[in-house]
Amino acid sequence: MAGEKWQELATAKREAISAAIPTDWKLKSPVPSAEEQRDVTGKYIAQYLSDAEVDITESDVKVIVGNTTSGKWKAEDVARAFCHRAALAHQLTNCLHEIFFDAAIEDAKKLDEYFAQHKAPIGPLHGLPISLKDQFHVKGVETSMGYVGWLGTFEGKKGTGKEKVYESEMVRELRNLGAVLYCKTSVPHTLMSGETVNNIIEYTWNPKNRNLAAGGSSGGEGALIGLKGSPLGFGTDIGGSIRIPAAFNGLYGIRPSAGRMPYEGMANSMDGQNTVLSVVGPLSHSVEGLRLVMKSLLSQEPWLYDPLVVELPWREEHAVEVQKLSKDGKLAFGVMKHDGVVTSFPPVQRAVDEVVASLEKQGHKVIEWNPPSHERGNQILLTTWRYDGGDDIHGAFELSGEPIAPQVQNSFGTSRKEQANASEIAATNVAKRQYQKEYLDYWNSTKELTGTGRPVDGLIAPLAPFPAARPQSYSYYGYSTFVNLLDYTSCVVPVTTVDKSIDKRDESFKPINTQDEDTYKNWDPEVFDGAHVSVQLVGRRLQEEKVLALAEYVGETLKGAK
């Protein structure tokens, strides 16, 4: 890379991504500004597609798989339709890092040939296009993770023999199940931001409201799936990075507990920081889609290939129990409207209230949540991100000399800091364990308040103070990070959209600290109008089946209420 300026490398990569889009799929006129066309979802993007392509791409995962595994739809036709829509999505929001449409179509043709010969699908995901965050290694394409210095390398190193041939464990499993992989999506360099920005694709915009961020760090997944350029994709989450893009784009997205899904062989930031692990999980338009892919992956026995995966097959009985309790009106929930640090914006508060009202109408119990200090928990988690003093990420930036985005500078500065020593790391691990125990005891104590004879089944809470972030304004992550510290399972549930005629500025608002004040300054009903508004539904560790069933029930209850 010596002698090549980072600007030239970034520009060349950006142009290569664009060049991978077939000429017929390129927009013939410039994309209108956000002022001219705020929302590019739905009918806007559909105008560039054929009726058949719209029919395929606006189908849910369950419908797609039902048609591809039965032979009603050709895997090739489905792949081409989603490749086309993904190409359009990238031109509208900057959501892709890698495009391998040709390889995907060839893979789809092989699936069709298999079906023609065997009269059966190759697996439960036969012909389902799946997009991947740019941490997954996939043969034939790069993994830059947003770093200019990683271009042409394997995680920043040259001559490893792994470049463009190595594949992550989950990639192997998805291929075995019949999934069609066709693109990798944008991330903020370092992965450590709720906005997706880097020097290659620049900024990934929210397709529902292009004044706002698509979220991060799985922001490309959020924008792509939000535009239905993918029916389902996989992101990762160490501080909210699956849930934030899901919430900002009106999607369901689950953050599983560590060890439930295989992370083996994926690129990462600060690899080896094991106090709070990053986890991998899916985003989609329905809980059914999330359940199908997680159940399918567990059928591959990933614990035999990833030493960190817990040997825990899918437990359908947990979902059945939720279904039974939901019909009897005997579920119980905690609700946290304020975490004691930062006030959520009016539409987020309204979304929480709508969820609570819909559940209470069905006879379920909802109690106020008064847990151990979230501010203290958040400080423990932030300490883990700074163990190495920024050595890993600053080393990656030094490979090319590229500048660090302001959104990342806010957390990691522009240079290395002093590293934590072994005693300090050990003390943080003890503080984390003690906090987890306090929270566990509090959760158990709610048994005395629910009237069901059980502690609460789940917690309803904001995922962020805002429906989506304005550029360079995501300064508080406490609503998402407490879940990571506790290693709880959490699923985002879409609720509503911002309505400037309802969600007005609260003139009586009095901040409780400077962070609260600074955050609330960003609230402007006009700017946010039309944006998706979501909540998260939190369960305890390794309760993925239960949390998905609860999220599905809450979503159905909301639809019934409307």
Side-chain angles (χ1 to χ4, degrees):
M1 208 167 283
E4 290 185 273
K5 293 183 179 179
W6 71 263
Q7 295 97 325
E8 294 169 358
L9 293 166
T11 299
K13 182 62 178 180
R14 188 161 54 248
E15 291 175 349
I17 297 169
S18 179
I21 297 173
T23 303
D24 290 347
W25 293 353
K26 290 189 176 178
L27 297 175
K28 303 300 186 275
S29 55
V31 176
S33 67
E35 290 72 27
E36 296 171 297
Q37 186 64 46
R38 177 176 295 201
D39 182 356
V40 293
T41 64
K43 291 182 179 179
Y44 186 85
I45 189 171
Q47 69 180 305
Y48 302 107
L49 299 162
S50 69
D51 290 345
E53 288 173 322
V54 170
D55 186 42
I56 290 170
T57 55
E58 297 194 0
S59 295
D60 187 63
V61 167
K62 182 181 178 182
V63 174
I64 295 168
V65 170
N67 285 323
T68 53
T69 58
S70 65
K72 183 178 178 182
W73 285 356
K74 296 282 190 184
E76 181 184 352
D77 293 337
V78 174
R80 287 185 184 278
F82 276 104
C83 288
H84 188 184
R85 193 154 181 151
L88 296 169
H90 177 67
Q91 293 171 82
L92 295 170
T93 61
N94 305 326
C95 61
L96 301 183
H97 276 184
E98 298 292 335
I99 289 172
F100 40 105
F101 297 160
D102 290 344
I105 291 166
E106 287 305 309
D107 287 343
K109 287 178 179 178
K110 291 175 185 175
L111 290 172
D112 289 335
E113 290 169 4
Y114 181 94
F115 194 95
Q117 182 179 349
H118 298 277
K119 307 302 180 190
I122 203 167
L125 305 183
H126 182 103
L128 178 67
I130 290 181
S131 50
L132 301 171
K133 183 178 186 176
D134 191 24
Q135 286 179 259
F136 289 86
H137 292 295
V138 178
K139 65 183 179 183
V141 293
E142 295 186 302
T143 302
S144 73
M145 219 166 72
Y147 288 126
V148 174
W150 278 25
L151 295 172
T153 74
F154 183 82
E155 299 182 9
K157 299 181 179 66
K158 289 189 174 182
T160 66
K162 293 183 176 181
E163 292 88 343
K164 294 189 178 183
V165 294
Y166 179 81
E167 294 204 317
S168 305
E169 171 56 27
M170 190 183 284
V171 170
R172 183 189 70 81
E173 294 177 12
L174 289 171
R175 291 192 192 280
N176 284 350
L177 292 161
V180 176
L181 311 176
Y182 63 114
C183 62
K184 294 207 293 175
T185 52
S186 58
V187 301
H189 51 208
T190 75
L191 308 175
M192 305 302 288
S193 174
E195 300 173 53
T196 293
V197 56
N198 62 57
N199 294 311
I200 299 170
I201 52 90
E202 297 175 342
Y203 199 89
T204 302
W205 294 98
N206 189 312
K208 186 69 174 171
N209 181 332
R210 291 193 298 141
N211 294 313
L212 307 172
S217 61
S218 313
E221 284 299 322
L224 179 65
I225 302 169
L227 281 165
K228 299 190 175 178
S230 168
L232 181 142
F234 279 90
T236 63
D237 194 314
I238 196 173
S241 293
I242 291 169
R243 292 163 290 145
I244 292 165
F248 288 10
N249 292 281
L251 307 171
Y252 289 89
I254 185 169
R255 183 253 178 225
S257 292
R260 200 71 206 272
M261 291 279 104
Y263 208 114
E264 175 66 25
M266 291 172 61
N268 204 0
S269 279
M270 302 178 293
D271 197 14
Q273 180 283 106
N274 288 350
T275 303
V276 176
L277 290 172
S278 176
V279 299
V280 58
L283 304 81
S284 192
H285 287 277
S286 73
V287 170
E288 284 182 316
L290 307 185
R291 183 183 292 118
L292 174 65
V293 294
M294 291 184 72
K295 187 176 179 180
S296 298
L297 283 164
L298 290 176
S299 75
Q300 297 288 292
E301 300 182 323
W303 46 86
L304 297 178
Y305 309 98
D306 182 337
L308 296 187
V309 172
V310 180
E311 186 172 347
L312 195 61
W314 187 259
R315 302 161 297 178
E316 190 62 31
E317 64 272 17
H318 290 206
V320 172
E321 178 67 11
V322 169
Q323 291 161 7
K324 180 179 181 299
L325 291 170
S326 66
K327 289 174 183 174
D328 295 340
K330 291 183 179 178
L331 290 169
F333 298 87
V335 61
M336 183 178 70
K337 297 181 181 180
H338 197 298
D339 71 347
V341 185
V342 167
T343 306
S344 57
F345 291 1
V348 177
Q349 295 178 31
R350 176 167 63 87
V352 171
D353 289 341
E354 286 184 17
V355 171
V356 170
S358 70
L359 291 169
E360 289 182 332
K361 187 177 179 181
Q362 298 300 316
H364 304 296
K365 182 77 171 181
V366 182
I367 65 170
E368 188 175 338
W369 197 247
N370 295 300
S373 166
H374 275 215
E375 184 172 21
R376 176 161 55 92
N378 197 36
Q379 288 307 311
I380 295 170
L381 179 129
L382 292 176
T383 299
T384 71
W385 292 356
R386 296 167 183 151
Y387 279 166
D388 75 345
D391 185 67
D392 177 68
I393 67 167
H394 289 297
F397 285 118
E398 289 166 2
L399 290 172
S400 67
E402 65 177 311
I404 307 172
Q407 291 90 335
V408 175
Q409 286 186 34
N410 289 339
S411 298
F412 295 96
T414 57
S415 61
R416 291 173 172 81
K417 304 291 190 296
E418 185 178 355
Q419 297 194 21
N421 62 38
S423 296
E424 290 166 336
I425 293 171
T428 302
N429 288 335
V430 171
K432 174 205 169 189
R433 187 180 70 238
Q434 291 173 339
Y435 186 82
Q436 286 177 305
K437 172 59 174 166
E438 282 183 60
Y439 221 97
L440 179 69
D441 290 345
Y442 172 71
W443 193 299
N444 288 338
S445 75
T446 62
K447 178 180 179 179
E448 307 302 322
L449 302 172
T450 60
T452 64
R454 308 183 316 278
V456 295
D457 295 292
L459 169 64
I460 301 155
L463 185 279
F466 23 72
R470 297 176 75 168
Q472 295 191 43
S473 74
Y474 208 142
S475 59
Y476 181 69
Y477 292 90
Y479 280 103
S480 57
T481 53
F482 82 95
V483 173
N484 300 84
L485 183 68
L486 295 166
D487 194 24
Y488 282 173
T489 306
S490 177
C491 186
V492 165
V493 179
V495 180
T496 186
T497 55
V498 177
D499 184 339
K500 64 182 179 182
S501 68
I502 299 173
D503 303 311
K504 299 183 182 297
R505 193 170 181 85
D506 182 3
E507 299 303 334
S508 66
F509 170 72
K510 288 186 173 59
I512 60 174
N513 54 52
T514 54
Q515 193 162 33
D516 194 20
E517 181 178 19
D518 291 344
T519 301
Y520 202 81
K521 284 177 182 176
N522 287 297
W523 169 236
D524 184 332
E526 191 65 47
V527 171
F528 283 84
D529 191 45
H532 288 292
V533 191
S534 305
V535 301
Q536 64 178 330
L537 203 155
V538 183
R540 301 212 243 192
R541 286 187 67 237
L542 299 168
Q543 287 192 339
E544 289 75 23
E545 297 90 344
K546 180 176 182 177
V547 167
L548 285 177
L550 289 171
E552 187 169 45
Y553 176 69
V554 169
E556 290 169 353
T557 303
L558 285 166
K559 287 178 184 175
K562 293 174 182 177

